Every structure is written in structure tokens, then in C-alpha cells.
Amino acid sequence: MSKNKTRFVILGLLSEGELTGYDIKKIIDNRFSFFWSESFGQIYPELKKLESQNLITSNKPKQKSRRERIFYSITSDGLKALQNWMKEPNEKESMRFEILLKMYFAQNTSKEVIKSQVEEFMNIHKQQLIILNMFQKELSDKANFHENHDDILRVVDFGQKVYEAYINWCRETMIYLERRSENETK
Amino acid sequence: MSKNKTRFVILGLLSEGELTGYDIKKIIDNRFSFFWSESFGQIYPELKKLESQNLITSNKPKQKSRRERIFYSITSDGLKALQNWMKEPNEKESMRFEILLKMYFAQNTSKEVIKSQVEEFMNIHKQQLIILNMFQKELSDKANFHENHDDILRVVDFGQKVYEAYINWCRETMIYLERRSENETK
DNA sequence: CGGCGCATGTAACTTGTTACATGATTCC
DNA sequence: GGAATCATGTAACAAGTTACATGCGCCG
């Protein structure tokens, strides 16, 4: 099972049309940010590697001279590689929630510190949820030009459900912490 | 903002009592697995580093001879470092859900492939939820010996809420995919 | 003409995983 | 005595981030 997933995000995005490395980074930052990330330091070298393996091709200007945007497109071999990956089992997603570490070790600090950490976590994800809701509305309002429209809405729905779960947890935890504070000061 | 979080998991765990590197790994695997992970390759070198900085101390046997369990305990400097970290802002947790990538690029494969991917994702997290529910029950039934009992229950509750969100998404997505299959075969 | 956003690229670094080596203890 | 688990450790590798260098083109 391949560990390097960068190549498959690239292949997936190129399966919808030709793009530059910069485009790919922008799309990941804008649309995927809540469930994926890549840096330029991964994307550009991977593009070269994929091209050398004939999974993608570019319009790289043979003219030595002026700098230009390099558009990549997927080859039939690349499409095959993408399709094979779709069938492969996924790796267990490993996450690291610092907020839970701090909740677990909460005995080492005051309730106020924990409260402000939970509040911060809640605010960040409320903001993120607003962005997701806007994106969903945008997609729902627009006519369904692309066939993958509904698939993308499923992806957005995942983010909404998970962020709502975070926010609910924060609300309950705030109440728990406030009850605690009251008992402490009694 | 320090990027190296391994040290703080170690300090946090040692704040409850002395432990060996092996113990630390076991606790993280058993209790933290749904929101944190560490490997031996990180834990052992970090223990040495923490000791050299006098944030922890060990009973390392000066006798050259036989191998023994090395118990570490936290120092007052270590406790201070832990308390400072509790107040610091957290890094944005970065996650990578392969399942969402595959959902997004679903056009490149058949509904059956996507369906089995979603099913697999659902089964894994149903299993994980069962384990979390058992752990919660275990904690709730037991008398509250440790003061941090309720804090740990909050952490478990986070996992339950998030896994339930995953599972609900899977159910809805399965229905969405089945509806699609019907339309395709019509 | 200065600054900004677009655009490509790489080197150095940090972080994290895997595989392996070593040896003790426990239990059958 | 052999297998499993406990236990410590490290080297090689893989993955991912950051900072920087370079330069184009547009706008005010």
C-alpha cells in the first residue's frame, strides 16, 4: 500500500483537466483545507516524478528562455494508476488533537486556562463551519454543470457534521467546566 | 510555539506518576489511540533529551550490568514546562481523510468501489465506537478515585461524538450511492 | 518604478515510521 | 527449551514544512 498520497491528489485533480502546480496548491488550500493539505515542497517535486513515470505530461516550453506556466495533464497510465488507488484500502487516519491532550491533563492547570482553550477551539471551528456552509450554498444554488457536483456536496457534508460534533462537544464541555468552577469557589 | 508535542505527552503522563518509556507507549496506544499516537523511535530519544534538560529524572541503574526498567519522573522544572504549554495556543490539527479524497474523485471509478470504501470506513469506526463505549462504561461504573476521572470522560465523549458523526455520514452516503446505482441501472 | 500576486523551484530542516538488534522475564 | 511479551535502543528512511531564491506581469 503506497504511503505517498500526494501523487493521487495530483492525479485526481488532473483527471478533471489540465492544471499548473500553483493551481493544484490553490485548489487544495481552498476546497480541501478541512480534510487535506499539501505544500509546494511536495507538489513540485512530485509533478516531476509523475512526469518521469509517464503518468502525466506537460507543455514544458522547450525554448530555454522565458518563464511560463507549466500545465500538466493526466495520461492514460496516470488514469489507470488513479483508478487502482480508488480500490485500495485506506490507511487509518492519524490525528492529533492537542485540545484533548490538554483536557486529559487538565489537573495541571486552572479551569480558566482550559476554558479559554476550549473557547478558542470552538471559535475556530465555528468560523470554519460558516465557510463550509457558504460553500455548500454556493454549490447547491448553482446549476449542476459537473457530474461530480453531488459527490462534492457529500464531502462538504462530512465537514459540516464533524465540525458540528466539535462545537457540540465544546458547548457541553464549557458547561462542565463552569459547573466545576462554581463548586470550587463554594 | 513549540512544534514538538511528544515532550508534552510525556510530561503530562509523568505528572501523574513515574513510568517507563514502554509504559508511556502502552498508555498512548490504549487510551489515546483515537486522538494521538507516538512511536518508540520518538519516545526513547525524547526521554533522554528531557532528562538532559532536567525536566525529568530517572532511576537509571549506575551499575553497568543487567538491563532494568528505567522509571522516569517529572521534576519541578518539567512541571513548569507542562503548565506553560497548557496556556499556549494550539496548532491547527491537520487531518488527511483518504475517504474524502476518494469521494471527491468518485467520477473516476464505479459506485460499487466507492460504496465498499464507505462501508469499510463505517465498519472501522463502528468498532472504534464500541471500544470507546466500553471504556466510558468502565470509567463511569468505577468509583471516582482520581480527580481527573471526569476530565477523561470529556475526552472520551469527544471521540464518541466524532465517531457518531462519521457513522451518520456513512449511512447517508450509502443511501446516496444506492439511489445513484438505481438510476444508473434504470 | 515599487509592490503585489502569480509562478516555479530547491535546500535545509523537522518530524515521524519502520525495521532491526539486543536481551530479560514469564509461562507452557 | 521455545514462544510470547516485556523492554530499551538506534539507524535508515520517508514524509512534510519552512525559508529562501528567482523572476514575470500587472496595477497604481
Side-chain angles (χ1 to χ4, degrees), chain A residues 96-158:
Chain A
R96 290 180 136 208
F97 286 93
E98 261 184 276
I99 186 73
L100 295 185
L101 228 38
K102 288 182 181 177
M103 192 72 226
Y104 198 100
F105 299 131
Q107 296 296 310
N108 294 288
T109 193
S110 68
K111 291 291 164 202
E112 280 63 42
V113 169
I114 297 292
K115 242 192 280 189
S116 77
Q117 291 286 3
V118 174
E119 216 154 21
E120 173 70 3
F121 184 83
M122 179 157 59
N123 290 336
I124 288 168
H125 291 98
K126 273 183 180 173
Q127 265 310 312
Q128 293 291 307
L129 183 56
I130 288 169
I131 293 167
L132 272 184
N133 288 342
M134 273 164 40
F135 183 46
Q136 187 217 30
K137 197 162 182 310
E138 202 185 308
L139 276 174
S140 307
D141 288 353
K142 224 184 297 180
N144 194 344
F145 286 131
H146 304 87
E147 328 83 51
N148 66 343
H149 209 101
D150 291 332
D151 296 337
I152 298 172
L153 279 170
R154 286 279 82 221
V155 174
V156 173
D157 182 67
F158 186 98

Side-chain angles (χ1 to χ4, degrees), chain B residues 13 17 20 24 35 42 47 60 62 78 86 90 98 122 130 137-138 144 153 185:
Chain B
L13 286 173
T20 68
I24 289 169
F35 70 92
Q42 286 168 277
L47 283 167
K60 190 140 19 190
K62 267 60 193 170
M86 297 291 290
N90 300 330
E98 262 184 275
M122 179 159 57
I130 289 169
K137 197 162 184 311
E138 203 185 310
N144 195 344
L153 279 170
T185 52

